[in-house]
Amino acid sequence: MGKLDGKIAIITGGSEGMGRSTARLFVEEGATVVITGRNQDTLDAAVREIGGTVEAFRGDISKLADLNALRVRSERVTSVYFKVMRNGSTS
């Protein structure tokens, strides 16, 4: 039994770097994780690598329309436990 069984996390910037590592750890501990990022190929690679209960949401949270779409999607989930916001990006 993992520490995060039954919990849901939304991790912005979860397709690479610290966000990806955090998503991997959360899934290993039993959480369902939604990762966000701007590049679909990078998101797809992260989902393949992490496996388990992770899904991807493509969007740029610096754009209001994308941020609103993420908000709408997260509202559909009734028990969001964590919202991990990662500020910054790599070039």
Side-chain angles (χ1 to χ4, degrees):
M1 182 171 206
K3 294 177 185 176
L4 302 176
D5 285 344
K7 305 301 181 192
I8 298 165
I10 299 170
I11 303 176
T12 62
S15 60
E16 54 190 352
M18 287 188 337
R20 190 175 192 160
S21 296
T22 302
R24 185 181 314 108
L25 289 172
F26 281 20
V27 168
E28 288 172 4
E29 287 295 334
T32 298
V33 177
V34 177
I35 58 172
T36 73
R38 294 177 292 194
N39 182 289
Q40 190 65 52
D41 291 336
T42 307
L43 284 165
D44 293 343
V47 168
R48 281 191 304 275
E49 177 195 317
I50 296 167
T53 55
V54 64
E55 62 181 85
F57 176 85
R58 189 181 73 70
D60 181 346
I61 65 164
S62 71
K63 295 186 172 147
L64 188 56
D66 290 355
L67 188 57
N68 189 50
L70 178 60
R71 179 190 57 80
V72 168
R73 183 169 180 173
S74 70
E75 287 175 351
R76 290 186 202 146
V77 179
T78 59
S79 61
V80 173
Y81 186 74
F82 297 105
K83 287 186 183 177
V84 178
M85 304 300 280
R86 185 182 69 85
N87 196 2
S89 63
T90 57
S91 298

Coordinates of all heavy atoms in Angstrom, one line a residue:
M1 N 0.8 -1.2 0.0 CA 0.0 0.0 0.0 C 0.9 1.2 0.0 O 1.7 1.4 0.9 CB -0.9 0.0 1.2 CG -1.9 1.1 1.3 SD -3.1 0.8 2.6 CE -4.4 1.8 1.9
G2 N 0.7 2.1 -1.0 CA 1.5 3.3 -1.1 C 0.9 4.5 -0.2 O -0.3 4.5 0.1
K3 N 1.7 5.4 0.0 CA 1.3 6.6 0.8 C 0.3 7.4 0.1 O -0.4 8.2 0.8 CB 2.5 7.5 1.1 CG 3.6 6.8 2.0 CD 4.8 7.8 2.1 CE 5.9 7.1 2.9 NZ 7.1 7.9 3.0
L4 N 0.2 7.3 -1.2 CA -0.7 8.2 -2.0 C -1.8 7.4 -2.7 O -2.5 7.9 -3.6 CB 0.1 9.0 -3.0 CG 1.2 9.9 -2.4 CD1 1.9 10.6 -3.5 CD2 0.6 10.9 -1.5
D5 N -2.1 6.2 -2.2 CA -3.2 5.4 -2.8 C -4.5 6.1 -2.8 O -4.9 6.7 -1.8 CB -3.4 4.1 -2.1 CG -2.3 3.0 -2.4 OD1 -1.5 3.2 -3.3 OD2 -2.2 2.1 -1.6
G6 N -5.1 6.2 -4.0 CA -6.4 6.8 -4.1 C -6.4 8.4 -4.2 O -7.4 9.0 -4.3
K7 N -5.2 8.9 -4.2 CA -5.0 10.4 -4.4 C -4.8 10.7 -5.8 O -4.3 9.9 -6.6 CB -3.9 10.9 -3.5 CG -4.0 10.5 -2.1 CD -5.2 11.1 -1.4 CE -5.3 10.7 0.0 NZ -6.6 10.9 0.6
I8 N -5.0 12.0 -6.2 CA -4.9 12.5 -7.5 C -4.0 13.7 -7.5 O -4.2 14.6 -6.6 CB -6.2 12.8 -8.2 CG1 -7.1 11.6 -8.3 CG2 -6.0 13.4 -9.6 CD1 -8.5 11.8 -8.6
A9 N -3.0 13.8 -8.4 CA -2.1 15.0 -8.4 C -2.1 15.5 -9.8 O -2.1 14.8 -10.8 CB -0.7 14.6 -8.0
I10 N -2.1 16.9 -9.9 CA -1.9 17.6 -11.2 C -0.5 18.3 -11.1 O -0.3 19.1 -10.2 CB -3.0 18.6 -11.4 CG1 -4.4 17.9 -11.5 CG2 -2.7 19.4 -12.7 CD1 -5.6 18.8 -11.5
I11 N 0.4 17.9 -12.0 CA 1.7 18.5 -12.0 C 2.0 19.2 -13.3 O 2.1 18.6 -14.3 CB 2.8 17.4 -11.8 CG1 2.5 16.6 -10.5 CG2 4.2 18.0 -11.7 CD1 3.4 15.4 -10.2
T12 N 2.1 20.5 -13.1 CA 2.4 21.3 -14.3 C 3.9 21.2 -14.6 O 4.7 21.1 -13.6 CB 2.0 22.8 -14.1 OG1 2.7 23.4 -13.1 CG2 0.5 23.0 -13.9
G13 N 4.2 21.2 -15.8 CA 5.6 21.0 -16.2 C 6.1 19.6 -15.9 O 7.3 19.3 -15.6
G14 N 5.1 18.6 -15.9 CA 5.4 17.2 -15.5 C 6.0 16.4 -16.6 O 6.3 15.2 -16.4
S15 N 6.3 17.0 -17.8 CA 6.8 16.1 -18.9 C 8.3 16.0 -18.8 O 8.8 15.1 -19.5 CB 6.3 16.7 -20.2 OG 6.8 18.0 -20.4
E16 N 9.0 16.8 -18.0 CA 10.4 16.6 -17.9 C 11.0 17.2 -16.6 O 10.2 17.8 -15.9 CB 11.1 17.3 -19.1 CG 10.7 18.8 -19.3 CD 11.2 19.4 -20.6 OE1 12.0 18.7 -21.3 OE2 10.8 20.5 -20.9
G17 N 12.2 16.9 -16.4 CA 12.9 17.5 -15.2 C 12.3 17.1 -13.9 O 11.9 15.9 -13.7
M18 N 12.3 18.1 -12.9 CA 11.7 17.8 -11.6 C 10.3 17.4 -11.6 O 9.9 16.5 -10.8 CB 11.9 19.0 -10.7 CG 13.3 19.3 -10.3 SD 13.6 20.5 -9.0 CE 12.1 21.6 -9.1
G19 N 9.5 18.0 -12.5 CA 8.1 17.6 -12.6 C 7.9 16.2 -13.0 O 7.1 15.5 -12.4
R20 N 8.7 15.7 -13.9 CA 8.6 14.3 -14.4 C 9.1 13.4 -13.2 O 8.4 12.3 -13.0 CB 9.5 14.1 -15.6 CG 9.4 12.8 -16.3 CD 10.2 12.8 -17.5 NE 10.0 11.8 -18.5 CZ 10.3 11.8 -19.7 NH1 10.9 12.9 -20.2 NH2 10.1 10.8 -20.5
S21 N 10.1 13.7 -12.5 CA 10.6 12.9 -11.4 C 9.5 12.8 -10.3 O 9.3 11.8 -9.7 CB 11.9 13.5 -10.8 OG 12.9 13.4 -11.8
T22 N 8.9 14.0 -10.0 CA 7.8 14.0 -9.0 C 6.7 13.1 -9.4 O 6.1 12.4 -8.6 CB 7.4 15.5 -8.8 OG1 8.5 16.3 -8.4 CG2 6.3 15.5 -7.7
A23 N 6.3 13.2 -10.7 CA 5.2 12.4 -11.2 C 5.5 10.9 -11.1 O 4.6 10.1 -10.6 CB 4.9 12.7 -12.7
R24 N 6.7 10.5 -11.4 CA 7.1 9.1 -11.3 C 7.0 8.7 -9.8 O 6.5 7.6 -9.5 CB 8.6 9.0 -11.8 CG 9.0 7.5 -11.8 CD 10.5 7.4 -12.2 NE 10.8 8.1 -13.4 CZ 11.6 9.2 -13.5 NH1 12.1 9.7 -12.4 NH2 11.8 9.8 -14.6
L25 N 7.5 9.5 -8.9 CA 7.4 9.1 -7.5 C 6.0 9.0 -7.0 O 5.6 8.1 -6.2 CB 8.2 10.1 -6.6 CG 9.7 10.1 -6.7 CD1 10.3 11.3 -6.0 CD2 10.3 8.8 -6.2
F26 N 5.2 10.0 -7.4 CA 3.7 9.9 -7.0 C 3.1 8.7 -7.5 O 2.3 8.1 -6.8 CB 3.0 11.2 -7.4 CG 3.3 12.4 -6.6 CD1 4.4 12.6 -5.8 CD2 2.4 13.5 -6.7 CE1 4.6 13.7 -5.0 CE2 2.6 14.6 -5.9 CZ 3.7 14.7 -5.1
V27 N 3.3 8.3 -8.7 CA 2.7 7.1 -9.3 C 3.2 5.9 -8.5 O 2.4 5.0 -8.2 CB 3.0 7.0 -10.8 CG1 2.7 5.6 -11.3 CG2 2.2 8.0 -11.6
E28 N 4.5 5.8 -8.2 CA 5.1 4.7 -7.5 C 4.4 4.6 -6.1 O 4.3 3.5 -5.6 CB 6.6 4.9 -7.3 CG 7.4 4.6 -8.6 CD 8.8 5.0 -8.4 OE1 9.3 5.4 -7.3 OE2 9.5 4.9 -9.5
E29 N 4.0 5.7 -5.5 CA 3.3 5.7 -4.2 C 1.8 5.5 -4.3 O 1.1 5.6 -3.3 CB 3.6 7.0 -3.4 CG 5.1 7.0 -2.9 CD 5.3 6.0 -1.9 OE1 4.4 5.5 -1.2 OE2 6.5 5.6 -1.7
G30 N 1.3 5.3 -5.5 CA -0.1 4.9 -5.7 C -1.0 6.0 -6.2 O -2.2 5.8 -6.4
A31 N -0.5 7.2 -6.5 CA -1.4 8.3 -6.9 C -1.7 8.2 -8.4 O -1.0 7.6 -9.2 CB -0.7 9.7 -6.7
T32 N -2.8 8.7 -8.8 CA -3.2 9.0 -10.2 C -2.7 10.4 -10.5 O -2.9 11.3 -9.7 CB -4.7 8.9 -10.4 OG1 -5.1 7.6 -10.1 CG2 -5.0 9.2 -11.9
V33 N -1.9 10.5 -11.6 CA -1.2 11.8 -11.9 C -1.6 12.3 -13.2 O -1.6 11.5 -14.2 CB 0.3 11.6 -11.8 CG1 1.0 12.9 -12.1 CG2 0.7 11.1 -10.4
V34 N -1.9 13.6 -13.3 CA -2.1 14.3 -14.6 C -0.9 15.2 -14.7 O -0.6 16.0 -13.9 CB -3.4 15.1 -14.6 CG1 -3.5 15.9 -15.9 CG2 -4.6 14.2 -14.4
I35 N -0.1 15.0 -15.8 CA 1.1 15.9 -16.1 C 0.7 16.8 -17.2 O -0.1 16.5 -18.1 CB 2.4 15.1 -16.4 CG1 2.2 14.2 -17.6 CG2 2.8 14.3 -15.2 CD1 3.4 13.5 -18.1
T36 N 1.2 18.0 -17.1 CA 1.0 19.0 -18.2 C 2.3 19.4 -18.8 O 3.4 19.3 -18.2 CB 0.3 20.3 -17.7 OG1 1.2 21.1 -16.9 CG2 -1.0 19.9 -16.8
G37 N 2.2 19.8 -20.0 CA 3.4 20.3 -20.7 C 3.0 20.9 -22.1 O 1.8 20.7 -22.5
R38 N 3.9 21.5 -22.8 CA 3.6 22.2 -24.0 C 3.8 21.3 -25.2 O 3.3 21.6 -26.3 CB 4.3 23.5 -24.2 CG 3.9 24.5 -23.1 CD 4.8 25.8 -23.2 NE 6.1 25.4 -22.8 CZ 7.0 26.3 -22.5 NH1 6.8 27.6 -22.6 NH2 8.2 25.9 -22.1
N39 N 4.7 20.3 -25.1 CA 5.1 19.5 -26.2 C 4.5 18.1 -26.1 O 4.8 17.4 -25.2 CB 6.6 19.4 -26.3 CG 7.1 18.7 -27.5 OD1 6.9 17.5 -27.5 ND2 7.7 19.4 -28.4
Q40 N 3.6 17.7 -27.1 CA 2.9 16.4 -27.1 C 3.9 15.3 -27.1 O 3.7 14.3 -26.4 CB 1.9 16.3 -28.2 CG 1.0 15.1 -28.1 CD 0.1 15.2 -26.8 OE1 -0.6 16.2 -26.6 NE2 0.1 14.2 -26.0
D41 N 5.0 15.4 -27.9 CA 5.9 14.3 -28.0 C 6.6 14.0 -26.7 O 6.8 12.9 -26.2 CB 7.0 14.6 -29.1 CG 6.4 14.5 -30.5 OD1 5.3 13.9 -30.7 OD2 7.0 15.1 -31.4
T42 N 7.0 15.1 -26.0 CA 7.6 15.0 -24.7 C 6.6 14.4 -23.6 O 7.0 13.6 -22.8 CB 8.1 16.4 -24.2 OG1 9.0 16.9 -25.2 CG2 8.9 16.3 -22.9
L43 N 5.4 14.9 -23.7 CA 4.4 14.3 -22.8 C 4.2 12.8 -23.1 O 4.1 12.0 -22.1 CB 3.0 15.0 -23.0 CG 2.9 16.4 -22.4 CD1 1.7 17.2 -23.0 CD2 2.8 16.3 -20.9
D44 N 4.1 12.4 -24.3 CA 3.9 11.0 -24.7 C 5.1 10.2 -24.2 O 4.9 9.1 -23.6 CB 3.8 10.8 -26.2 CG 2.5 11.4 -26.7 OD1 1.5 11.7 -25.9 OD2 2.4 11.7 -28.0
A45 N 6.3 10.7 -24.3 CA 7.5 10.0 -23.8 C 7.4 9.8 -22.3 O 7.8 8.8 -21.8 CB 8.8 10.7 -24.3
A46 N 7.0 10.9 -21.6 CA 6.9 10.8 -20.1 C 5.9 9.8 -19.7 O 6.1 9.0 -18.8 CB 6.6 12.2 -19.6
V47 N 4.7 9.8 -20.4 CA 3.7 8.8 -20.0 C 4.2 7.4 -20.2 O 4.0 6.5 -19.4 CB 2.4 9.1 -20.8 CG1 1.4 7.9 -20.7 CG2 1.7 10.4 -20.4
R48 N 4.9 7.2 -21.3 CA 5.5 5.8 -21.6 C 6.5 5.5 -20.5 O 6.5 4.3 -20.0 CB 6.1 5.8 -23.0 CG 5.2 5.6 -24.1 CD 5.9 5.3 -25.4 NE 6.9 6.2 -25.8 CZ 6.7 7.4 -26.5 NH1 5.4 7.7 -26.8 NH2 7.7 8.2 -26.8
E49 N 7.4 6.4 -20.2 CA 8.4 6.1 -19.2 C 7.8 5.9 -17.8 O 8.2 5.0 -17.1 CB 9.4 7.3 -19.1 CG 10.5 7.1 -18.0 CD 11.2 8.3 -17.7 OE1 11.6 9.1 -18.6 OE2 11.5 8.6 -16.5
I50 N 6.9 6.7 -17.4 CA 6.3 6.7 -16.0 C 5.4 5.4 -15.9 O 5.5 4.7 -14.9 CB 5.6 8.0 -15.6 CG1 6.6 9.1 -15.6 CG2 4.9 7.8 -14.3 CD1 5.9 10.5 -15.6
G51 N 4.6 5.2 -16.9 CA 3.6 4.1 -16.9 C 2.6 4.3 -15.8 O 2.4 5.3 -15.2
G52 N 1.9 3.2 -15.5 CA 0.9 3.2 -14.4 C -0.2 4.2 -14.6 O -0.7 4.3 -15.7
T53 N -0.6 4.9 -13.6 CA -1.7 5.7 -13.6 C -1.4 7.2 -13.9 O -1.7 8.1 -13.0 CB -2.5 5.6 -12.3 OG1 -1.6 5.9 -11.2 CG2 -3.1 4.2 -12.1
V54 N -0.8 7.5 -15.0 CA -0.4 8.8 -15.4 C -1.1 9.1 -16.7 O -1.2 8.3 -17.6 CB 1.1 9.0 -15.5 CG1 1.7 8.2 -16.6 CG2 1.5 10.5 -15.6
E55 N -1.6 10.4 -16.8 CA -2.1 10.8 -18.1 C -1.6 12.2 -18.4 O -1.2 12.9 -17.5 CB -3.6 10.8 -18.1 CG -4.3 11.6 -17.1 CD -5.8 11.5 -17.2 OE1 -6.4 10.6 -16.5 OE2 -6.5 12.3 -17.8
A56 N -1.6 12.6 -19.7 CA -1.1 13.9 -20.1 C -2.1 14.9 -20.5 O -3.2 14.5 -21.0 CB -0.1 13.6 -21.3
F57 N -1.8 16.1 -20.3 CA -2.7 17.2 -20.7 C -1.7 18.2 -21.4 O -0.9 18.8 -20.7 CB -3.4 17.9 -19.5 CG -4.2 19.1 -19.9 CD1 -5.5 18.9 -20.3 CD2 -3.7 20.4 -19.8 CE1 -6.2 20.0 -20.7 CE2 -4.4 21.5 -20.1 CZ -5.7 21.3 -20.6
R58 N -1.9 18.4 -22.7 CA -1.1 19.4 -23.4 C -1.6 20.8 -23.3 O -2.8 21.0 -23.6 CB -0.9 19.0 -24.9 CG 0.2 19.9 -25.6 CD 0.3 19.6 -27.0 NE -0.8 20.0 -27.8 CZ -1.0 21.3 -28.1 NH1 -0.3 22.3 -27.6 NH2 -2.0 21.7 -28.9
G59 N -0.8 21.7 -22.8 CA -1.2 23.1 -22.7 C -0.1 23.9 -22.2 O 0.9 23.4 -21.7
D60 N -0.2 25.2 -22.3 CA 0.8 26.2 -21.9 C 0.1 27.0 -20.8 O -0.8 27.8 -21.1 CB 1.2 27.1 -23.0 CG 2.2 28.1 -22.7 OD1 2.4 28.4 -21.4 OD2 2.8 28.7 -23.6
I61 N 0.5 26.8 -19.5 CA -0.2 27.5 -18.4 C 0.0 29.0 -18.4 O -0.7 29.7 -17.6 CB 0.0 26.9 -17.1 CG1 1.5 27.1 -16.7 CG2 -0.4 25.4 -17.0 CD1 1.8 26.8 -15.2
S62 N 0.8 29.5 -19.3 CA 1.0 31.0 -19.4 C -0.1 31.6 -20.3 O -0.3 32.8 -20.4 CB 2.3 31.4 -19.9 OG 2.5 31.0 -21.3
K63 N -0.9 30.7 -20.9 CA -2.0 31.1 -21.8 C -3.3 30.9 -21.0 O -3.6 29.7 -20.6 CB -2.0 30.4 -23.1 CG -0.8 30.7 -23.9 CD -0.8 30.1 -25.2 CE 0.4 30.7 -26.0 NZ 1.1 30.1 -26.8
L64 N -4.1 31.9 -20.9 CA -5.3 31.8 -20.1 C -6.3 30.7 -20.6 O -6.9 30.0 -19.8 CB -6.1 33.2 -20.1 CG -7.2 33.3 -19.2 CD1 -6.9 33.0 -17.7 CD2 -7.8 34.7 -19.3
A65 N -6.4 30.5 -21.9 CA -7.3 29.5 -22.4 C -6.9 28.1 -22.0 O -7.7 27.3 -21.6 CB -7.4 29.6 -23.9
D66 N -5.5 27.9 -22.0 CA -5.0 26.5 -21.6 C -5.2 26.3 -20.1 O -5.5 25.3 -19.7 CB -3.6 26.4 -22.0 CG -3.4 26.3 -23.5 OD1 -4.4 26.2 -24.3 OD2 -2.2 26.3 -24.0
L67 N -4.9 27.4 -19.4 CA -5.1 27.3 -17.9 C -6.5 27.1 -17.5 O -6.8 26.2 -16.6 CB -4.5 28.6 -17.3 CG -4.4 28.6 -15.7 CD1 -3.6 27.5 -15.2 CD2 -3.9 29.9 -15.3
N68 N -7.4 27.7 -18.2 CA -8.8 27.5 -18.0 C -9.2 26.0 -18.3 O -10.0 25.4 -17.6 CB -9.7 28.5 -18.8 CG -11.1 28.4 -18.3 OD1 -11.4 28.5 -17.1 ND2 -12.0 28.3 -19.3
A69 N -8.7 25.5 -19.4 CA -9.0 24.1 -19.8 C -8.5 23.2 -18.7 O -9.2 22.2 -18.4 CB -8.4 23.8 -21.2
L70 N -7.3 23.4 -18.2 CA -6.8 22.6 -17.1 C -7.7 22.7 -15.9 O -8.0 21.7 -15.2 CB -5.4 23.0 -16.8 CG -4.7 22.2 -15.6 CD1 -4.7 20.7 -15.9 CD2 -3.3 22.7 -15.4
R71 N -8.2 23.9 -15.6 CA -9.1 24.1 -14.4 C -10.4 23.3 -14.6 O -10.8 22.6 -13.7 CB -9.4 25.6 -14.2 CG -10.4 25.8 -13.1 CD -10.9 27.3 -13.1 NE -11.5 27.6 -14.3 CZ -12.8 27.3 -14.6 NH1 -13.5 26.6 -13.7 NH2 -13.4 27.7 -15.7
V72 N -10.9 23.4 -15.8 CA -12.2 22.6 -16.1 C -11.9 21.1 -15.9 O -12.7 20.4 -15.3 CB -12.7 23.0 -17.5 CG1 -13.8 22.0 -17.9 CG2 -13.2 24.4 -17.5
R73 N -10.8 20.7 -16.5 CA -10.5 19.2 -16.4 C -10.3 18.8 -14.9 O -10.8 17.8 -14.5 CB -9.3 18.9 -17.2 CG -8.9 17.4 -17.1 CD -7.9 17.2 -18.1 NE -7.5 15.7 -18.2 CZ -6.7 15.2 -19.0 NH1 -6.2 16.0 -20.0 NH2 -6.5 13.9 -19.0
S74 N -9.6 19.7 -14.1 CA -9.4 19.3 -12.7 C -10.7 19.3 -11.9 O -10.8 18.6 -10.9 CB -8.3 20.2 -12.1 OG -8.8 21.5 -11.9
E75 N -11.6 20.2 -12.3 CA -12.9 20.2 -11.6 C -13.7 19.0 -11.8 O -14.6 18.6 -11.0 CB -13.7 21.4 -12.0 CG -13.2 22.7 -11.4 CD -13.9 24.0 -12.0 OE1 -14.7 23.9 -12.9 OE2 -13.6 25.0 -11.4
R76 N -13.5 18.2 -12.9 CA -14.2 17.0 -13.1 C -13.7 15.9 -12.2 O -14.4 14.9 -12.0 CB -13.9 16.5 -14.6 CG -14.6 17.4 -15.6 CD -14.4 16.8 -17.0 NE -14.6 17.8 -17.9 CZ -14.0 17.9 -19.1 NH1 -13.1 17.0 -19.4 NH2 -14.2 18.9 -19.9
V77 N -12.5 16.1 -11.6 CA -12.0 15.1 -10.7 C -12.4 15.6 -9.3 O -12.2 16.7 -8.9 CB -10.4 15.1 -10.7 CG1 -9.8 14.1 -9.7 CG2 -10.0 14.8 -12.1
T78 N -13.1 14.7 -8.6 CA -13.7 15.1 -7.3 C -12.8 15.1 -6.1 O -13.1 15.8 -5.1 CB -14.9 14.1 -7.0 OG1 -14.4 12.8 -6.9 CG2 -15.9 14.2 -8.1
S79 N -11.6 14.5 -6.2 CA -10.8 14.4 -5.0 C -9.4 14.8 -5.3 O -8.4 14.1 -5.0 CB -10.8 13.0 -4.4 OG -10.3 12.1 -5.4
V80 N -9.2 15.9 -5.9 CA -7.8 16.4 -6.2 C -7.1 16.6 -4.8 O -7.6 17.4 -4.0 CB -7.8 17.7 -7.0 CG1 -6.3 18.2 -7.1 CG2 -8.3 17.4 -8.4
Y81 N -6.1 15.9 -4.6 CA -5.4 16.0 -3.3 C -4.2 16.9 -3.4 O -3.9 17.7 -2.5 CB -4.9 14.6 -2.9 CG -4.3 14.5 -1.5 CD1 -5.1 14.5 -0.4 CD2 -2.9 14.3 -1.4 CE1 -4.5 14.4 0.8 CE2 -2.4 14.2 -0.1 CZ -3.2 14.3 1.0 OH -2.6 14.2 2.2
F82 N -3.4 16.8 -4.5 CA -2.3 17.7 -4.7 C -2.4 18.4 -5.9 O -3.0 17.9 -6.9 CB -1.0 16.8 -4.9 CG -0.6 16.0 -3.7 CD1 -0.8 14.6 -3.8 CD2 0.0 16.5 -2.6 CE1 -0.4 13.8 -2.7 CE2 0.4 15.7 -1.6 CZ 0.2 14.4 -1.6
K83 N -2.0 19.6 -5.9 CA -1.8 20.4 -7.2 C -0.3 20.9 -7.1 O -0.1 21.8 -6.3 CB -2.7 21.5 -7.3 CG -4.1 21.1 -7.7 CD -5.0 22.3 -8.0 CE -6.4 21.8 -8.2 NZ -7.3 23.0 -8.4
V84 N 0.6 20.3 -7.8 CA 1.9 20.7 -7.8 C 2.2 21.6 -8.9 O 2.1 21.2 -10.1 CB 2.9 19.4 -7.9 CG1 4.3 19.9 -7.9 CG2 2.6 18.5 -6.7
M85 N 2.5 22.8 -8.7 CA 2.8 23.8 -9.7 C 4.3 24.0 -9.8 O 4.9 24.4 -8.8 CB 2.1 25.2 -9.4 CG 0.6 25.0 -9.2 SD -0.3 24.4 -10.5 CE -0.5 25.9 -11.5
R86 N 4.9 23.8 -10.9 CA 6.3 24.0 -11.1 C 6.5 25.2 -11.9 O 6.0 25.3 -13.0 CB 6.9 22.7 -11.7 CG 8.4 22.8 -11.9 CD 9.0 21.7 -12.6 NE 8.7 21.6 -14.0 CZ 9.3 22.3 -14.9 NH1 10.4 23.0 -14.6 NH2 8.9 22.2 -16.2
N87 N 7.2 26.1 -11.4 CA 7.4 27.4 -12.1 C 8.7 27.3 -12.8 O 9.7 26.9 -12.3 CB 7.4 28.6 -11.1 CG 7.2 29.9 -11.8 OD1 7.1 29.9 -13.0 ND2 7.2 30.9 -11.0
G88 N 8.8 27.7 -14.1 CA 10.0 27.7 -14.9 C 10.0 26.6 -15.9 O 9.1 25.8 -15.9
S89 N 11.0 26.7 -16.8 CA 11.1 25.7 -17.8 C 12.5 25.6 -18.3 O 13.3 26.4 -17.9 CB 10.2 26.1 -19.0 OG 10.6 27.3 -19.6
T90 N 12.8 24.6 -19.1 CA 14.1 24.5 -19.7 C 14.0 24.8 -21.1 O 13.0 24.7 -21.8 CB 14.6 23.0 -19.5 OG1 13.7 22.1 -20.1 CG2 14.8 22.7 -18.0
S91 N 15.1 25.3 -21.7 CA 15.1 25.7 -23.1 C 15.9 24.7 -23.9 O 16.8 24.1 -23.4 CB 15.7 27.1 -23.3 OG 15.0 28.0 -22.6

